[in-house]
Amino acid sequence: MANSNEQGKGAGSSQKAGESGNAKGTGKRGFAAMNEEQQREIASKGGQAAHQKGTAHEFDSEEARRAGQKGGEAVSRNREHMAEIGRKGGESRQSAQRANESRSSSSSSAARSGSAEQQAKASRQGSKDGDDKGQG
């Protein structure tokens, strides 16, 4: 009989735990139940304490390089993502090239029209000089 009472107590206590979470008793508790801001604040305090104690981990440049390389390898395994990046780069390069071409063609046409204007002006100036000489 004592065993059946203990089982009854166990079932009752697990049922109470379920009431605080959801129906299955798998509600978040402790750190996981806190909002993101509270979690960050507590984690920050832990990091500060570790630095004060001298047990905090600090990356050296070689370790940081290896970590970055691992991240790059992980990203590059996603072929679809890499294809998208390549497409965006190609589009960007193409649009930059078009912009450069339009700039150079507009500036060269402006230069051509400017020189044509200068030539016409010089031509008009020359004809005036000729007219003056003919009348004198």
Side-chain angles (χ1 to χ4, degrees):
M1 276 293 198
N3 277 347
S4 65
N5 280 346
E6 287 175 13
Q7 287 175 350
K9 286 180 184 177
S13 64
S14 68
Q15 195 172 17
K16 285 181 184 176
E19 289 170 4
S20 66
N22 58 26
K24 293 183 180 180
T26 57
K28 292 182 178 180
R29 301 182 305 180
F31 197 72
M34 296 178 190
N35 67 30
E36 194 174 327
E37 188 177 320
Q38 289 174 318
Q39 288 181 357
R40 284 180 186 271
E41 190 176 320
I42 291 172
S44 174
K45 287 180 182 177
Q48 289 172 0
H51 277 284
Q52 288 174 353
K53 189 176 173 185
T55 58
H57 180 77
E58 294 185 20
F59 281 97
D60 61 9
S61 60
E62 178 62 23
E63 193 174 10
R65 187 192 66 77
R66 281 196 311 264
Q69 186 177 11
K70 284 173 88 174
E73 288 171 358
V75 168
S76 67
R77 285 190 202 112
N78 183 344
R79 303 290 294 161
E80 188 176 313
H81 176 69
M82 294 304 288
E84 184 181 342
I85 290 171
R87 261 192 307 280
K88 285 182 179 179
E91 290 168 1
S92 175
R93 185 172 183 173
Q94 231 175 13
S95 65
Q97 190 174 6
R98 285 186 187 134
N100 283 339
E101 287 174 0
S102 70
R103 258 190 258 126
S104 66
S105 68
S106 66
S107 66
S108 65
S109 71
R112 281 193 301 262
S113 68
S115 64
E117 288 173 14
Q118 288 172 349
Q119 288 173 359
K121 190 175 182 181
S123 169
R124 285 191 300 267
Q125 189 72 27
S127 67
K128 282 184 183 179
D129 290 342
D131 290 342
D132 290 341
K133 288 179 185 175
Q135 288 177 355

